[in-house]
Amino acid sequence: MPTNAMSGLPEPAKDLWGRPLRSLRISVTDRCNLRCQYCMPEENYVWLPRETLLTFKEIVFLTELFSEHGVDRVRITGGEPLLRKDLASLIGMLQQNTRIQDIAMTTNGVLLAEHAQNLFDAGLHRITVSLDTLKPERFKALTRRDTLAQVFEGIESVGRVGFQGLKLDTVAMKGYNDDELIPLIEYGKRVNGEVRFIEYMDVGGANDWSAEKVLPRKQILALLSQYYGAIEPVHENSSAPAQRFRLSDGTIFGIIPSTTMPFCATCDRSRLTADGMWYLCLYAKSGLDLLKPIRERRSREDLVSMIRSVWETRKDRGAEERKELEASNGRGQFIDIERLRQDPHLEMHARGG
Ligand code: SF4
């Protein structure tokens, strides 16, 4: 395999579309302390058996292999990652890998206030908090838990302990929170967080997705410009999923138009589940099992060659394919509930959204 003359490392792996292997989302647990209607609407699930969860040492080892082949950004996800005991020590271990330029985490914020300081001290760079509503009753209806006050405390703790670059991710849904876009932007200004509106996606299968519930990018921009006036795009060369915009007072916000304007062409993301399955796309129905070869103590060369050869044959473009189905009215439920019950990996909460 070709190597870089400066670093001596292999050139980053590229897939069949020339997309580099760069961003790795690492799920550390499939469990969550909320039951959001669009993600985990059932109270009980088939959970991944605990003995199959990757240990921190195994996660660090795999990250090292990935980073030698292109990965330089890591995002810790769940389920809810803060349910994994002693998460800060994993951050501390990952942080020692100097090839990883960015270690971020997505959380629902419920447990964040008590962990923020430890995470910051351990070397976590950035935090994204999911926040779909500012209204306690609405939060309770959506998540089946009454913990919005804890989420606010968590969000406020982020800046207090020293983090920069807070992001607030909102799944925008028609008839649910389309009347809160402006309050959310205003809240973001108060807590120094960049709000990103995500189009509701038809991932997984236990969700209640329908095209009518999607609030498209175009409508989000129209609603916001009615109130804020002119909105200008921020031009940047990035493979990040969010398109960013600037209000006339300088406030930046983002839209992730995964449903109406999929961005598969530049997608450099892949996902490692808490039990070591590696998925190359949010919509992938199968992945590569990395737990088994690790526990069988297969050689480093074997593991590397598996990772590289799988990425080099990648041609996933799940969101684009789902969009193409609209022409034939074929965009129904992605995976039926019986199949989801048989294989917990197919649920989005198992692969970190
Ligand atoms: S659908 Fe798959 S290929 Fe497309 S952006 Fe999402 S993860 Fe990447």
Side-chain angles (χ1 to χ4, degrees):
M1 84 191 60
T3 49
N4 182 296
M6 298 271 284
S7 66
L9 287 173
E11 288 292 348
K14 294 221 170 121
D15 72 7
L16 288 176
W17 280 18
R19 298 171 296 186
L21 171 63
R22 283 204 66 193
S23 172
L24 182 66
R25 298 174 68 103
I26 302 173
S27 166
V28 290
T29 177
D30 59 332
R31 292 168 190 252
C32 190
N33 44 2
L34 300 180
R35 286 292 177 276
C36 296
Q37 298 300 300
Y38 58 77
C39 180
M40 294 179 81
E42 319 272 324
E43 202 48 52
N44 291 305
Y45 284 85
V46 182
W47 303 110
L48 301 175
R50 280 181 195 275
E51 65 278 10
T52 67
L53 298 191
L54 290 169
T55 63
F56 286 174
K57 241 172 122 181
E58 288 168 337
I59 292 175
V60 169
F61 174 62
L62 280 174
T63 307
E64 193 181 305
L65 299 186
F66 279 110
S67 72
E68 285 168 11
H69 295 270
V71 165
D72 61 0
R73 293 189 305 250
V74 158
R75 177 169 293 274
I76 305 297
T77 67
E80 168 47 42
L82 293 175
L83 291 177
R84 180 83 185 244
K85 208 166 156 233
D86 202 17
L87 188 67
S89 69
L90 173 65
I91 304 294
M93 291 159 83
L94 289 170
Q95 197 260 342
Q96 287 172 28
N97 182 335
T98 52
R99 284 185 291 273
I100 303 294
Q101 305 292 310
D102 185 34
I103 308 176
M105 179 184 74
T106 298
T107 169
N108 62 31
V110 175
L111 300 172
L112 186 53
E114 62 188 271
H115 294 289
Q117 186 71 60
N118 283 347
L119 293 165
F120 182 74
D121 294 345
L124 183 68
H125 297 139
R126 296 184 300 118
I127 292 184
T128 298
V129 181
S130 305
L131 181 70
D132 295 330
T133 178
L134 300 168
K135 299 184 177 186
E137 282 314 308
R138 207 172 259 187
F139 181 89
K140 200 169 156 188
L142 177 75
T143 67
R144 306 224 191 121
R145 302 289 186 270
D146 196 6
T147 49
L148 182 60
Q150 285 164 249
V151 177
F152 288 149
E153 278 170 32
I155 290 171
E156 279 152 32
S157 71
V158 172
R160 199 169 54 236
V161 304
F163 283 107
Q164 310 236 322
L166 168 68
K167 294 206 167 67
L168 301 174
D169 276 4
T170 300
V171 178
M173 287 170 281
K174 260 190 206 162
Y176 172 71
N177 58 1
D178 46 354
D179 57 344
E180 288 196 72
L181 305 191
I182 293 154
L184 280 159
I185 295 251
E186 293 301 313
Y187 176 74
K189 288 185 198 177
R190 284 206 303 281
V191 296
N192 207 12
E194 184 175 315
V195 177
R196 305 191 307 173
F197 298 109
I198 304 170
E199 288 181 349
Y200 186 15
M201 293 179 79
D202 55 347
V203 286
N207 64 15
D208 196 19
W209 186 90
S210 73
E212 295 73 47
K213 291 184 188 160
V214 178
L215 186 65
R217 167 190 178 277
K218 213 170 141 188
Q219 259 173 279
I220 294 173
L221 286 173
L223 282 165
L224 291 175
S225 62
Q226 269 170 25
Y227 183 81
Y228 289 111
I231 293 175
E232 55 176 57
V234 175
H235 297 289
E236 50 198 352
N237 188 7
S238 158
S239 64
Q243 297 177 3
R244 296 170 85 221
F245 298 90
R246 188 181 290 108
L247 303 177
S248 56
D249 69 356
T251 302
I252 304 278
F253 69 95
I255 300 181
I256 303 184
S258 335
T259 302
T260 65
M261 295 174 75
F263 34 82
C264 302
T266 55
C267 176
D268 56 14
R269 278 173 299 288
S270 62
R271 294 167 162 81
L272 188 64
T273 66
D275 65 344
M277 294 293 293
W278 186 38
Y279 286 93
L280 307 191
C281 176
L282 191 51
Y283 286 93
K285 289 182 180 163
S286 60
L288 175 71
D289 181 1
L290 290 171
L291 179 78
K292 195 162 173 271
I294 283 193
R295 297 218 171 149
E296 283 173 352
R297 302 198 176 280
R298 294 272 289 277
S299 71
R300 191 181 180 100
E301 290 69 34
D302 276 3
L303 285 160
V304 159
S305 118
M306 278 183 208
I307 290 171
R308 251 194 115 92
S309 63
V310 165
W311 187 265
E312 284 170 354
T313 52
R314 175 192 192 232
K315 50 184 180 184
D316 300 69
R317 50 183 200 92
E320 288 184 354
E321 284 168 359
R322 294 294 292 163
K323 185 159 171 51
E324 281 161 15
L325 291 174
E326 285 168 12
S328 56
N329 277 334
R331 194 165 190 170
Q333 191 175 28
F334 180 48
I335 299 170
D336 68 61
I337 194 85
E338 279 316 312
R339 239 190 111 201
L340 285 166
R341 284 194 178 117
Q342 284 157 19
D343 186 355
H345 293 102
L346 295 171
E347 293 279 9
M348 279 316 106
H349 63 259
R351 58 175 82 173

